[in-house]
Amino acid sequence: MNINLTIIGQAIAFFIFVVFCMKYVWPPITGALAERKKKIAEGLDAADRAERDLKLAQEKAANDMRASKEEAAAIIEQANKRATKIIEEAKEQAREEADRVKASAEAEVEQELNRAKDALRAQVGALAIAGAEKILEASIDEKAHAKLVEKLAAEL
């Protein structure tokens, strides 16, 4: 193997080329790579944060939805209780009104019954006197007649 001057010249030129690349070409390339690596890392961190924020927002929305449903159910239950209470109150008022009407009707029937009894007593008294007149063939005066009717009515 013959090492001649051209190989030494090529080695020196290659060494100068390597030094030149290390000093002037390699730093911008490594800087660009480092900057790119930093941007990728920031993007991944932002994606992780966005994913966590999304999960938190979904949990919060689910909790809010659950709370809203519970509140709506409570309001509906309260409305149903109120409606039932109003219906029961209306039924009770209707019963009371029916009892009042019934009592009024019973009192009116009692009054009519008493009037009918009084009228019947008066007619019975008049019939008794008429019968007595026919039997006695004599007429009793009006004062005595009224007294007898009242006395007979009181006894009945």
Side-chain angles (χ1 to χ4, degrees), residues 4 12 17-18 27-28 52 67 70 72 83 93 129 136 142 146 149:
N4 58 12
I12 292 172
F17 178 71
V18 168
R52 276 182 279 151
E70 290 172 1
Q93 287 177 352
I129 291 175
L136 296 175
E142 287 295 318
V149 170

Side-chain angles (χ1 to χ4, degrees), residues 5-19:
L5 191 58
T6 56
I7 288 185
I8 294 175
Q10 284 179 355
I12 292 172
F14 183 71
F15 180 72
I16 291 171
F17 178 71
V18 168
V19 170

Side-chain angles (χ1 to χ4, degrees), residues 9-139:
Q10 284 179 355
I12 292 172
F14 183 71
F15 180 72
I16 291 171
F17 178 71
V18 168
V19 170
F20 176 78
C21 284
M22 285 175 59
K23 188 162 183 131
Y24 296 109
V25 176
W26 193 251
I29 291 175
T30 57
L33 287 174
E35 186 178 325
R36 174 110 169 111
K37 184 178 178 181
K38 182 179 172 186
K39 284 183 181 179
I40 289 172
E42 287 175 356
L44 290 174
D45 287 343
D48 288 341
R49 273 181 295 183
E51 188 176 339
R52 276 182 279 151
D53 289 345
L54 177 63
K55 285 181 182 177
L56 289 174
Q58 287 175 340
E59 289 175 7
K60 184 177 185 289
N63 289 339
D64 289 346
M65 182 69 80
R66 193 174 317 116
S68 297
K69 284 182 180 180
E70 290 172 1
E71 184 178 342
I75 290 171
I76 290 171
E77 182 64 28
Q78 184 180 12
N80 287 338
K81 285 180 182 178
R82 180 70 179 137
T84 303
K85 183 179 177 184
I86 289 171
I87 289 170
E88 290 301 320
E89 288 175 359
K91 284 181 182 178
E92 185 61 33
Q93 287 177 352
R95 281 189 205 110
E96 290 173 2
E97 183 65 24
D99 289 344
R100 278 195 296 269
V101 168
K102 184 179 175 182
S104 173
E106 286 175 355
E108 190 175 324
V109 166
E110 186 67 31
Q111 287 176 353
E112 287 296 320
L113 183 64
N114 287 337
R115 283 189 208 127
K117 282 182 182 178
D118 289 342
L120 193 56
R121 285 182 189 144
Q123 287 177 359
V124 167
L127 284 175
I129 291 175
E133 272 184 1
K134 285 189 179 181
I135 291 174
L136 296 175
E137 297 270 338
S139 179

